[in-house]
Structures are given as structure tokens and as C-alpha cells.
Amino acid sequence: MSTRHQQSHVHHYVPRWYQKRFLPPGQTQYHYLDLCPETVVSGEVRYKRRALRILGPASCFCRDDLYTVKLGSWTTDEVEKRFFGT
């Protein structure tokens, strides 16, 4: 019997637990430099995000579907689960 789980789409290439080791005691966020800030479109307004942002480990060093295996319309994140755990 297989159990279904919620498939994750945001994958960290630097694990959050490892990022937290570089934060001084009491600090929870980094000054994060985005070398390619995205352009955000909201209705007719269009702007580029700031390159220097203050973010926590949950938002740093990650990409959408980095460890997702895709075959046609079928996708799975089992690679991440097996190698890195839940």
C-alpha cells in the first residue's frame, strides 16, 4: 500500500539547517544579494525587485522543482525524499 504525500516544489540547494549555522545567536535573517532580481508584474504595474533583500533561510538558496523528476505530465519529488529525507 503506498501513501500519498504532498509533493514539494521549492527545493533548497543549501539546506536550511546548514544556513542557520552561519547566523549569529539571536539573528534569524540574512542580507541576501540576488544577482538576477526578477521583474514583478501586478496588473499594469511592472517593477524589478531589489537586488539586496533581507530574507530568512526558508527563502534563500532554493529553486522551484530543483529535484523534481518529470516524465511527460507525471512528476515526483522522490529523489529529494530518498536522499535528503522529509
Side-chain angles (χ1 to χ4, degrees):
M1 175 189 234
S2 79
T3 58
R4 286 194 92 101
H5 68 273
Q6 182 76 20
Q7 184 170 322
S8 60
H9 293 280
V10 178
H11 303 131
H12 287 80
Y13 51 90
V14 178
R16 286 183 278 181
W17 64 264
Y18 191 74
Q19 292 179 52
K20 290 177 184 178
R21 295 178 68 184
F22 292 91
L23 289 168
Q27 187 175 337
T28 60
Q29 297 179 321
Y30 293 105
H31 288 85
Y32 186 82
L33 179 62
D34 187 349
L35 298 176
C36 298
E38 68 179 320
T39 299
V40 178
V41 179
S42 177
E44 294 183 17
V45 178
R46 185 181 174 101
Y47 64 94
K48 192 171 229 170
R49 285 189 187 256
R50 293 182 193 168
L52 183 60
R53 300 187 321 203
I54 298 175
L55 300 171
S59 302
C60 296
F61 308 108
C62 58
R63 291 283 179 259
D64 288 347
D65 295 319
L66 181 64
Y67 300 118
T68 301
V69 176
K70 299 176 184 179
L71 297 171
S73 62
W74 178 82
T75 63
T76 184
D77 62 347
E78 281 299 314
V79 171
E80 180 186 36
K81 300 284 187 241
R82 298 231 185 244
F83 284 110
F84 306 115
T86 57

